[in-house]
Amino acid sequence: MDTPLTVPDPADATELSCDVLVIGGGTAGTMAALTAAERGASVLLLEKAHVRHSGALAMGMDGVNNAVVPGRAEPDDYVAEITRANDGLVDQSTVRQTATRGFGMVKRLESYGVRFEKDEHGEYAVRQVHRSGSYVLPMPEGKDVKKVLYRQLRRREMRERIRIENRVMPVRILTHPEDGRAVGAAGFHTRTGAFVVVRAGAVILATGPCGRLGLPASGYLYGTYENPTNAGDGYAMAYHAGAALTGIECFQINPLIKDYNGPACAYVANPFGGYQVNRHGERFVESDYWSGQMMAEFAAELASDRAPVYLKLSHLPEETIGAVESILHTTERPTRGTFHEGRGHDYRTHDIEMHISEIGLCGGHSASGVRVDSHARTTVPRLYAAGDLASVPHNYMIGAFVFGDLAGEDASRYRAYEGELDPEQVAAAHDLVYRPLRHPEGPPQPQVEYKLRRFVNDYVAPPKTGAKLSLAVEAFTRMSEEIARMGARTAHELMRCAEVSFIRDCAEMAARASLARTESRWGLYHERLDHPERDDTGWLHHLDLRKSPSGAMEFTARPVEPYVVPVPEFAPPGGPERHLGEVALVPVATAGPRESAPARPGTPPPGPDEAPAAAAPPPRLLRLLSLVEDSPDLDALAPYLDDADPSVRAAAVAAVGETAPVGAGPVLAARLRDEAPRVRAAAAAALRELVEVLPAGAVLGDGLREALAVPDATVRSAALEVLRALRLGDAALYAGALGDAVAEVRVQAVRALVSVDGVAELAAAVGDPAREVRVAVARGLAAVRRPAPGPLAPLLDDPDPLVRGAALGALGGTGCPPDHAARAAAALRDAAWQVRSGAATALRSAPAAVAVPALAGALTDPNADVRKAAVLSLLEHRADASARGALAGAADDPDADVRAYAARGGAA
């Protein structure tokens, strides 16, 4: 419980020392700490919450957006794509680090136990979401990534070098008064209120984006698209330490679910067949990448009579919708299903209404952040930045890991600073933290923050004008005094007050930077109504922002570094930097400051009768949870695994999954046969989570085979999945599971048979009573190493249109000989669009003489997905003049995807 505090004496500060100080325990910070420790440095990791559950990664991650997997994508293509997505304003040397080192990071994460989706042959199941490249790699157990990383931090060898201080929030970087290098930080404990100072040889900022900048449409302070704990801490600390920030005028704006602070998850839904449409069901997105240009198209559609805009899922079959739900309602946002249920909506009957998020600052999703080089170094010596805080455009999760690794590697060279810390800097940090305690009756943080972020929405959110941005600067300057008068009584309230000061700094930076760039760029991210055109001649430059010696924000236009990968659309002019100084405000008339801001009413706590008190957990469970912090071995966990209480056994199984001790696999397999359903479910989940790090031993294999006889279908399904992934089964074993009573288990059996190329056994399953199994068989017959069209023949006559469609689509991979090609051409007249789409896909591998005329006719199909499949197949026949002519005729198709792919035929 929070208790009232008094202002501590600075002399009583808790003093800590380390070689490398990492601020922020999320994605980048965790990796930075691990790498620095592995290279011999003593590491102190500060996290204002708790590292086990902190950062955006802990909210759930459904996949990797930018995996450059060898054989599926090329680093140079990725660099070029990011350059285009960011309108030419990139330091390609930083983007190339993610492109070239990202796959190694995927393998490193796998060695930790992070699971990435693979096909039946163990190859990475990379998906294509954007038209120009295949970079999306799903993560089936993405909700557990943070748990896996925390397990690495708590390994015994890491605990010797990494000290974790949870609930400690730095507010200022301390620098050497003579040479300006980073030598530590000052902050406080967010539960006790104790003042904390740190001496360090190097400092790594990994505090995430400023997601709490604009105010969500809901009005809730913490209902943001990004993790609401990311209040711009690192942006403000870097600025006040003297580091350069760049691209602060390039905002992050995302598509999201209307009235819900969750992403619309096109990265999940699109590979399953979902897509964005207007109210007429028409695809409208022309842009090839989730960029400001795409968001501009999105905003224009919302503002038109074609609105609302939806993520379309209702056309998909039940099996696909179920798969999408299993991801979106667990990994991505567990509350998502509850939200839709409360509205009486279901993906089977309702498409998902989409809208636009509030603005934020984020290097990983747009471009705004602390300026870094290709080793994560900022412009302040020995100060590093990594993750969404750093300006490496569209860097996403893998980029955060890569730059955390780079920062940890470079920073590990330095040893702890042993000199005196600047007393003036320490005193200023102390005053920033504790001034709310000196006037506890001052304005409360929620009211002040609401007002501040309301001004952000009113004056800074695009479309921008010089007049509105000038009003914003005046408002933020005026609010500095109001923020200084905020009151607090507890350590938690001190944390929130400090966050408001960070948000204000970021808001002013965003407004002034937007004023300084007198052009429009990045689509909706920086749309200036008073400067509507993009000006590559004058503004193909980075806009850097620094704190001047007088304390003012000043700007420099910095030329784009020579490209490593040429991109024909952009030609950076080079030349010297242009010092712009302070930005001039546009003269505006105001009606004076507002005397008060609307405050969101607090939600009263539930009454004593509204929620019954939960039963106290058994003492054994509490002892177990405490034990987990020390990464126990199996001997220590054994008594709990055999406990009479199922809740204790389930918790012990979860502990095995979290800590992954030696010998975990056979123990978890044995628990698949536990009498309690919750224990079996925990064991199945842990095995799936740890499958990449479990040794494929005979004892584990025997345990999994025994689990195939357990009456629980969840257990049998998990056992088959792990047997397949670890290559511990054979065709005979998997074929036996084709007789299982539950379709989900039979689907896993089909996937397992594909992994061992069991064509004969797969062919025997074409008559399975469940549609989803027959669909899996059709796709599986095309996924074996030596696919052939013959075994698909019975499925081409299946009574279910989804099965026929899948079988026809599989012919695109197996080859489509003349007799099948004739059937596919005839199937283009089928009543079911799924069959017509599959037929169009089949014809991509058919003889051109049959395929091209049939596909040309399919370009008039009323269903856009059929036309898209036809265009993609015609691209395979583009050597044929008739195919090129048909593609040219599709260039004005009403569907954006069809137009985009047809244009490729013309470009060829």
Side-chain angles (χ1 to χ4, degrees):
M1 179 177 179
D2 290 325
T3 55
L5 296 176
T6 57
V7 178
D9 190 319
D12 295 332
T14 300
E15 295 194 11
L16 304 172
S17 178
C18 60
D19 296 334
V20 177
L21 170 61
V22 179
I23 300 177
T27 310
T30 301
M31 188 58 67
L34 289 169
T35 296
E38 288 169 357
R39 291 179 174 269
S42 68
V43 179
L44 175 61
L45 177 58
L46 299 185
E47 167 57 52
K48 67 181 179 182
H50 192 293
V51 172
R52 180 186 289 188
H53 307 295
S54 64
L57 195 60
M59 298 174 70
M61 188 65 61
D62 51 64
V64 174
N65 298 345
N66 56 340
V68 183
V69 175
R72 298 301 304 274
E74 294 295 327
D76 284 1
D77 292 341
Y78 175 80
V79 172
E81 174 139 338
I82 299 302
T83 302
R84 295 186 186 97
N86 210 53
D87 280 1
L89 275 181
V90 298
D91 177 353
Q92 286 192 344
S93 67
T94 62
V95 176
R96 204 165 197 283
Q97 288 282 49
T98 298
T100 56
R101 298 168 70 104
F103 183 64
M105 184 56 65
V106 167
K107 302 295 287 185
R108 178 174 176 179
L109 292 171
E110 256 186 349
S111 74
Y112 291 166
V114 176
R115 284 192 65 197
F116 298 94
E117 186 172 329
K118 295 180 179 178
D119 63 19
E120 292 80 2
H121 301 290
E123 303 295 331
Y124 292 98
V126 182
R127 309 281 179 83
Q128 182 170 357
V129 172
H130 310 296
R131 303 183 190 112
S132 50
S134 298
Y135 304 112
V136 176
L137 181 57
M139 299 164 64
E141 302 295 330
K143 65 183 185 300
D144 295 323
V145 176
K146 194 64 195 294
K147 182 170 70 175
V148 172
L149 292 173
Y150 187 69
R151 184 169 67 227
Q152 292 300 309
L153 288 172
R154 302 305 296 160
R155 284 165 43 213
R156 285 185 173 82
E157 58 269 33
M158 288 295 100
R159 290 207 304 269
E160 294 174 358
R161 292 196 172 275
I162 301 174
R163 175 176 177 176
I164 298 174
E165 288 291 337
N166 293 308
R167 315 295 181 189
V168 174
M169 177 183 184
V171 297
R172 287 291 185 263
I173 302 301
L174 302 177
T175 58
H176 195 285
E178 295 178 3
D179 59 20
R181 73 182 188 272
V183 294
F188 69 106
H189 196 285
T190 63
R191 289 297 180 267
T192 68
F195 191 50
V196 179
V197 294
V198 182
R199 288 179 174 81
V203 180
I204 300 173
L205 284 169
T207 56
C210 183
R212 217 161 87 216
L213 183 61
L215 191 66
S218 66
Y220 295 121
L221 294 182
Y222 307 107
T224 52
Y225 176 92
E226 283 287 352
N227 186 339
T229 65
N230 293 332
D233 309 33
Y235 286 75
M237 284 190 279
Y239 170 74
H240 289 290
L245 293 92
T246 193
I248 303 301
E249 69 281 17
C250 179
F251 299 162
Q252 178 190 9
I253 307 170
N254 294 88
L256 80 167
I257 301 174
K258 179 77 165 58
D259 301 326
Y260 177 79
N261 70 321
C265 291
Y267 280 103
V268 174
N270 283 22
F272 282 96
Y275 48 83
Q276 296 70 46
V277 296
N278 56 31
R279 69 182 178 90
H280 303 298
E282 302 163 339
R283 276 184 285 229
F284 59 88
V285 174
E286 302 282 354
S287 178
D288 251 357
Y289 200 80
W290 286 107
S291 61
Q293 179 55 43
M294 178 174 285
M295 290 311 302
E297 297 172 9
F298 203 97
E301 203 75 6
L302 280 175
S304 75
D305 66 350
R306 299 178 298 277
V309 168
Y310 298 90
L311 177 62
K312 186 165 185 58
L313 296 174
S314 58
H315 65 298
L316 299 173
E318 168 61 29
E319 297 82 8
T320 302
I321 288 179
V324 172
E325 282 180 332
S326 70
I327 298 172
L328 297 187
H329 296 177
T330 54
T331 299
E332 185 59 45
R333 287 287 196 281
T335 59
R336 186 175 178 136
T338 305
F339 170 80
H340 292 310
E341 183 180 351
R343 296 198 162 194
H345 289 181
D346 186 288
Y347 298 160
R348 296 151 187 81
T349 55
H350 292 74
D351 294 319
I352 302 171
E353 186 178 355
M354 300 172 68
H355 212 263
I356 288 179
S357 73
E358 68 285 345
I359 67 170
L361 302 179
C362 180
H365 289 78
S366 57
S368 52
V370 179
R371 176 182 165 186
V372 295
D373 65 10
S374 58
H375 294 279
R377 306 174 188 126
T378 73
T379 58
V380 169
R382 303 196 187 185
L383 179 64
Y384 299 79
D388 286 341
L389 167 73
S391 180
V392 184
H394 299 282
N395 217 24
Y396 302 111
M397 183 187 75
I398 285 295
F401 280 130
V402 165
F403 272 80
D405 178 50
L406 290 166
E409 177 182 346
D410 205 74
S412 67
R413 299 178 295 156
Y414 302 110
R415 303 281 77 87
Y417 174 66
E418 297 180 353
E420 291 299 316
L421 299 174
D422 186 342
E424 292 187 5
Q425 294 181 41
V426 173
H430 184 275
D431 180 67
L432 172 64
V433 172
Y434 298 107
R435 66 189 179 191
L437 293 179
R438 297 188 171 96
H439 32 77
E441 301 300 328
Q445 166 263 332
Q447 177 177 323
V448 177
E449 183 175 335
Y450 186 102
K451 180 177 178 179
L452 170 65
R453 293 167 63 190
R454 184 75 260 169
F455 281 141
V456 171
N457 280 21
D458 289 344
Y459 298 130
V460 185
K464 310 173 187 178
T465 68
K468 289 199 300 182
L469 293 167
S470 298
L471 282 170
V473 171
E474 291 185 2
F476 303 147
T477 302
R478 186 171 62 245
M479 286 201 70
S480 295
E481 297 182 5
E482 189 171 343
I483 289 170
R485 295 196 304 271
M486 282 189 301
R489 289 182 171 83
T490 68
H492 181 80
E493 290 174 349
L494 288 179
M495 177 181 71
R496 293 301 185 212
C497 288
E499 288 176 338
V500 174
S501 75
F502 299 151
I503 295 169
R504 195 221 68 85
D505 288 344
C506 290
E508 183 178 351
M509 285 190 273
R512 289 187 183 273
S514 295
L515 266 172
R517 184 175 286 279
T518 52
E519 63 155 358
S520 288
R521 189 175 289 271
W522 307 296
L524 189 63
Y525 295 168
H526 181 66
E527 180 186 358
R528 284 283 299 261
L529 296 178
D530 47 353
H531 297 282
E533 301 300 323
R534 194 176 83 189
D535 177 13
D536 282 350
T537 301
W539 275 112
L540 192 56
H541 287 69
H542 301 283
L543 182 64
D544 289 356
L545 176 159
R546 285 184 177 85
K547 185 177 182 179
S548 72
S550 67
M553 290 184 187
E554 61 179 16
F555 294 89
T556 300
R558 174 171 52 94
V560 172
E561 295 78 2
Y563 286 163
V564 178
V565 178
V567 179
E569 298 95 313
F570 300 100
E577 293 187 354
R578 300 199 313 268
H579 182 68
L580 306 177
E582 297 182 42
V583 66
L585 303 185
V586 174
V588 291
T590 67
R594 294 171 63 180
E595 295 182 357
S596 64
R600 177 170 61 87
T603 302
D609 297 328
E610 294 179 27
R620 300 183 306 286
L621 185 56
L622 296 177
R623 288 195 297 271
L624 170 62
L625 295 177
S626 176
L627 181 66
V628 171
E629 287 292 323
D630 295 324
S631 299
D633 57 22
L634 283 178
D635 289 340
L637 291 171
Y640 301 96
L641 289 165
D642 293 325
D643 196 277
D645 187 336
S647 66
V648 175
R649 297 202 304 279
V653 168
V656 173
E658 181 170 337
T659 58
V662 175
V667 168
L668 291 173
R671 284 297 150 193
L672 290 175
R673 303 189 299 278
D674 195 281
E675 63 183 19
R678 72 171 74 177
V679 180
R680 298 196 299 270
L687 282 165
R688 282 177 159 135
E689 177 188 337
L690 296 177
V691 70
E692 296 293 345
V693 295
L694 292 176
V699 178
L700 174 57
D702 290 342
L704 293 170
R705 289 186 186 89
E706 290 179 29
L708 293 177
V710 172
D712 188 335
T714 300
V715 167
R716 301 196 301 278
S717 177
L720 282 169
E721 182 177 346
V722 178
L723 283 166
R724 171 181 59 79
L726 297 180
R727 298 293 190 265
L728 290 172
D730 55 26
L733 176 70
Y734 300 145
L738 289 174
D740 197 280
V742 178
E744 174 194 353
V745 179
R746 301 200 299 277
V747 169
Q748 286 292 347
V750 168
R751 294 199 68 198
L753 283 168
V754 173
S755 72
V756 295
D757 297 309
V759 175
E761 292 81 3
L762 286 169
V766 295
D768 192 280
R771 176 178 70 185
E772 61 266 37
V773 177
R774 300 199 302 280
V775 168
V777 169
R779 293 171 177 166
L781 286 169
V784 295
R785 295 190 185 280
R786 295 178 181 175
L792 288 166
L795 297 172
L796 296 174
D797 294 319
D798 196 280
D800 191 293
L802 290 184
V803 179
R804 295 201 305 279
L808 285 163
L811 288 174
T814 65
C816 188
D819 56 334
H820 285 71
R823 294 192 64 176
L828 289 172
R829 298 187 294 274
D830 196 281
W833 71 266
Q834 295 94 336
V835 175
R836 302 199 303 276
S837 178
T841 301
L843 290 171
R844 74 175 54 181
S845 61
V850 178
V852 172
L855 290 168
L859 293 177
T860 62
D861 194 283
N863 185 279
D865 280 344
V866 177
R867 302 199 302 277
K868 177 179 174 180
V871 164
L872 291 172
S873 291
L874 282 167
L875 287 172
E876 298 297 318
H877 296 289
R878 73 184 82 183
D880 187 291
S882 298
R884 295 195 298 274
L887 288 166
D892 59 353
D893 191 279
D895 185 86
D897 270 8
V898 176
R899 292 195 301 273
Y901 286 115
R904 295 189 177 185

